[in-house]
Amino acid sequence: MPLLAFETSCDETSAAVIHHGRVLSNVVSSQIAMHAEYGGVVPELAAREHLRNLLPVSERAMAAAEVAPAEIDGFAATQGPGLPSALMVGFHAARAAAFALDRPFVGIHHHEAHLYSPWITGRPLTANFSEFQPNVSLIVSGGHTLLVHVQAELKHRLLGSTLDDAAGECFDKVGKLLGLPYPAGPHIDHLAEKGNPRAFDFPRPMIADSSHDFSFSGLKTSVRYFLRDHPELAEDRERLRDLCASVQAAIVETLVAKTIRAAQVMKVRCITASGGVTCNRALRGGLADACAREELTLRLAEPSLCTDNAAMIGVLAERVLAQRTHLASQYADVLPDWSLGRECSLAR
Ligand code: KG4
Ligand code: ZN
């Protein structure tokens, strides 16, 4: 019997129906256009939009999966981390539905869902854990840059994270300096396509550091000073492309080098990547080239599953429910600051 999952941690309202690892439906309603007006996500507006959208999105997900509400056998939602008022909408709706229908309910860690999303592939999208290999996983989103050692399915350990800005945040803040709309990542990706990545030399922060941590705020600052010294550049379309390509290269080379190094240190033969920045074509290409050179297997999250979605929440929830060890209590609440921690939440 199928499971209904919700994701409302930030600015996407999403509902998905999962059955035996198969994604029967995955409906995502993005609020990006609304928040773009303000240059970033406004938490109160996000929560209101989730309240408005959750029911229609759920109805569409169940209709697309050809499943009636009474047929839903379990519920799941993102429990954290994320915006408190946004998380509450999906989490408490799923918890209340589970209570009313006397079905099990599980709260999922958002980053753990990203972490296992590269194992969801094919048409129709299906979780393929039979192909699982121990791996080092890069999770890159607007709020987080994480390197995780995944020793076994549902067993993982955080290796490192960003000390300041996340990679996506760096794309977005550089884009803001250039006057690009929010979120700027996809615009920089597009502009960089015809630019020269070697035109300008920006720092590759902590690239040679022996830790698995990242730092991107210095890169953003160096772009700010560069633009202060070359104000004419923002008006010159061709040089703007070169600038985007050069900044993108600095971010991508840092992410790729540190991910490959972590795989070598942890002695794994597989790398996975997920989160919104994994949509970036230079990052996908850079990881593919480096993995081919090092003879490592690479699994990238499908582009449709890189940004926030309920399918990844539901797929992980189904695995957790199958173990029946981590059901959320009737009194559970959201955990907005739930960090991945050095230990796996699933091993609590
Ligand atoms: O995972 P996500 O959808 O939301 C968060 O949990 O933050 O990631 C959003 C981030 C934004 O910073 C956005 O600029 C970035 O992912 N992003 C990209 C691309 N597509 C999305 N960054 C670079 N290139 C892209 N193509
Ligand atoms: Zn995310």
Side-chain angles (χ1 to χ4, degrees):
M1 289 259 282
L3 176 140
L4 179 64
F6 298 152
E7 154 61 40
T8 63
S9 67
C10 190
D11 58 351
E12 261 99 26
T13 313
S14 180
V17 179
I18 311 296
H19 190 216
H20 293 321
R22 278 180 65 174
V23 180
L24 300 187
S25 63
N26 180 38
V27 177
V28 182
S29 165
S30 175
Q31 308 175 2
I32 280 183
M34 183 185 77
H35 296 291
E37 264 185 59
Y38 302 91
V41 178
V42 183
E44 191 52 39
L45 292 183
R48 267 192 254 164
E49 279 299 295
H50 288 313
L51 276 172
R52 214 191 319 269
N53 291 334
L54 190 62
L55 273 182
V57 163
S58 305
E59 278 168 358
R60 275 169 55 205
M62 285 188 284
E66 297 182 10
V67 166
E71 291 175 299
I72 299 292
D73 198 32
F75 291 84
T78 307
Q79 188 166 8
L83 303 171
S85 51
L87 282 167
M88 265 185 234
V89 177
F91 186 80
H92 289 296
R95 208 191 62 170
F99 177 72
L101 295 170
D102 194 22
R103 301 282 195 267
F105 167 62
V106 61
I108 290 293
H109 191 297
H110 183 82
H111 298 142
E112 285 175 348
H114 274 304
L115 184 64
Y116 292 99
S117 65
W119 303 94
I120 311 170
T121 54
R123 293 285 172 273
L125 286 168
T126 307
N128 236 320
F129 287 106
S130 59
E131 293 171 12
F132 180 86
Q133 292 180 54
N135 61 79
V136 157
S137 189
L138 173 71
I139 306 175
V140 264
S141 70
H144 295 84
T145 303
L146 307 169
L147 270 176
V148 184
H149 179 205
V150 192
Q151 296 120 304
E153 198 195 318
L154 307 191
K155 186 163 186 272
H156 48 259
R157 189 173 68 88
L158 181 69
L159 295 173
S161 59
T162 182
L163 303 178
D164 40 56
D165 290 353
E169 207 173 349
C170 186
F171 272 111
D172 295 340
K173 287 181 174 173
V174 166
K176 200 169 185 177
L177 294 173
L178 297 173
L180 299 173
Y182 172 87
H187 299 281
I188 294 183
D189 184 346
H190 180 72
L191 285 165
E193 193 178 8
K194 295 206 172 79
N196 173 9
R198 303 279 159 237
F200 308 110
D201 189 20
F202 289 111
R204 272 73 173 145
M206 295 179 80
I207 197 165
D209 193 89
S210 64
S211 80
H212 298 297
D213 292 326
F214 299 89
S215 164
F216 288 107
S217 74
L219 171 56
K220 170 202 66 194
T221 308
S222 72
V223 176
R224 173 177 292 136
Y225 288 140
F226 184 82
L227 284 170
R228 183 197 60 189
D229 298 340
H230 302 85
E232 75 290 351
L233 209 131
E235 307 303 319
D236 182 335
R237 194 75 181 165
E238 200 157 317
R239 293 187 78 208
L240 185 65
R241 291 182 205 281
D242 288 346
L243 180 68
C244 288
S246 301
V247 173
Q248 178 175 273
I251 298 173
V252 165
E253 282 173 29
T254 307
L255 293 172
V256 171
K258 298 209 69 151
T259 307
I260 296 284
R261 214 188 107 254
Q264 288 164 343
V265 171
M266 302 322 295
K267 299 190 170 38
V268 297
R269 306 297 312 155
C270 177
I271 280 177
T272 76
S274 60
V277 180
T278 310
C279 290
N280 184 271
R281 289 166 299 168
L283 178 61
R284 295 179 86 85
L287 282 170
D289 291 347
C291 286
R293 205 167 49 239
E294 301 294 329
E295 296 182 7
L296 299 171
T297 304
L298 174 66
R299 289 189 77 112
L300 297 168
E302 295 265 331
S304 69
L305 297 182
C306 285
T307 45
D308 291 345
N309 64 87
M312 65 180 187
I313 304 295
V315 163
L316 181 56
E318 214 184 32
R319 310 295 285 181
V320 172
L321 278 175
Q323 298 180 347
R324 298 253 160 195
T325 51
H326 293 85
L327 303 191
S329 96
Q330 200 180 323
Y331 305 102
D333 206 349
V334 296
L335 300 169
D337 300 320
W338 195 6
S339 70
L340 197 55
R342 299 278 151 184
E343 293 303 325
C344 164
S345 86
L346 302 167
R348 275 178 299 173

